[in-house]
Amino acid sequence: MNKRTDQLHAYFFPVMAPGHMIPLVDMARQFARRGVKATLVTTPLNAPKFSKTIQRERELGSDISIRTIEFPCKEAGLPDGCENLASTTSTEMTQKFIKALYLFQQPIEQFLEEDHPDCLIAGTLFPWTVDVAAKLGIPRLVFSGTGLLPICAYHSLMEYKPHLKVESDTEEFIIPGLPHTIKMSRQQLSDHIKDETENPMTEIIKDVMRAEMTSYGAIVNSFYEVEPNYVKHYREVVGKKAWHIGPVSLCNKDNEDKAQRGQEICFSEHQCLDWLNSKKPKSVVYICFGSMSFFSSAQLLEIAMALEASDQQFIWVVKQNTKNEEQNEWMPEGFEEKLKGRGLIIKGWAPQVLILDHEAIGGFVTHCGWNSSLEGVTAGVPMVTWPLSAEQFFNEKLLVEILKIGVPVGAQAWSQRTDSRVPINRENIQRAMTKLMVGSEAEEMRSRAAALGKLAKMAVEKGGSSDNNLVSLLEELRKKQSNSN
């Protein structure tokens, strides 16, 4: 480790949402294990979600700590305790939350002036951090929480606007200028992209794009071998530096780390592992739609009926929310009793990496959030793709058309974290799961997925593509630090 006086000091400022905090905490740990002083900034209610992990890291000798900053709930018009994007329940609340992130500028500036770190790694929804970093003369790296394919696709959409040249929301168009032929329809794009009229998000999106293009570069939870064309495209066509240092979930080596990644799980991990240990290799489907999605009772019923009709063994993570608290509204009578032994239902948070890494898992039904997609790739399992919102329809293209390890369930329309459109019916769900788990096509997908899983693990090992990227990034930051001293 460097002497304290010339130790590189990095500030990490993740957007308060599980999909941003979890990977950025893992990144901070990777930096700290390589002799960097790492400071994570978050709010009082978010800190406990990863404080145990940080404490364990400190006990191993890493110089890593958490600084908390009050969340401006009141000023933003949000209820007390709404400090995480996963706590928002409507579009209006989400917009208030994103606006609230701008209110952090003054306290963060104060932190940075007191501490004067050597670089700042900030979530994409803190575009003002680029100005704060410039004022202090330090590099700001942007972390968007996605892979490079969606970022490249967004840039092409903004530049060429192919979605404005089609007659209807369902007509397909090709996104120009990308390494692959990627077809989308307007209904698969988020409202703020497809709608050219000014809306509450327009200015924020412009600000985010400006900050990305004026940042020192991007730091990405991805690895070269999973999207090589897009690593090249981002650097050469978008014209910005990018360092892929993932899959960052692989820094969690033991079961305790994997089980506590994200937040406290709602039951014993041993219970889950014991159940999986009793199953044959590659025989269980894992079904989980991330921390941000809400499903209607009608949709949950279709999933339950598909599982009952299929012969598959499964672990199903059901997120309780105000819309489906009345379980008897949607769960078929005697469902849990009837499928005891064949299925395990987890209500709440599940230790996803721990589950996916188990040899009994043969497939994963996912909403195609980037963390889940990459964790599926890393575990070497093929996936049923069920995108809902954010950049998930782009991730589906990567999994299904480019990597050929995905089976689409048939989701067609972007829908702000929920299935507000017509539910996907049980026949389509069952068909996709059967295609994923049974037959020669399933075997081929499984072997492609297993090969990708091996490449993912090699990427973070000494001399791997992600390891080399992290080494070169830290060398570059240390060089900048010594030049400015």
Side-chain angles (χ1 to χ4, degrees), residues 418-484:
T418 177
D419 57 329
S420 55
R421 311 289 197 302
V422 179
I424 305 280
N425 67 36
R426 62 195 73 173
E427 290 79 15
N428 283 350
I429 301 166
Q430 190 184 341
R431 175 196 52 76
M433 283 198 301
T434 304
K435 192 174 176 184
L436 185 76
M437 299 296 284
V438 181
S440 60
E441 206 179 329
E443 281 305 311
E444 284 167 22
M445 268 193 296
R446 195 163 292 140
S447 76
R448 279 195 291 274
L452 274 168
K454 286 196 180 89
L455 290 172
K457 292 173 182 75
M458 281 162 63
V460 299
E461 281 167 13
K462 197 166 171 56
S465 55
S466 293
D467 177 68
N468 287 343
N469 248 236
L470 182 53
V471 168
S472 72
L473 171 60
L474 293 180
E475 274 173 11
E476 200 162 316
L477 292 174
R478 286 188 173 113
K479 198 177 279 180
K480 278 191 81 65
Q481 176 208 26
S482 63
N483 290 344
S484 64

Side-chain angles (χ1 to χ4, degrees), residues 17 126 149 257 283 291 324 340 343 374 425:
F126 296 114
L149 183 151
D257 268 350
S283 66
S291 53
N324 61 49
K340 213 173 184 166
L374 192 61
N425 67 36

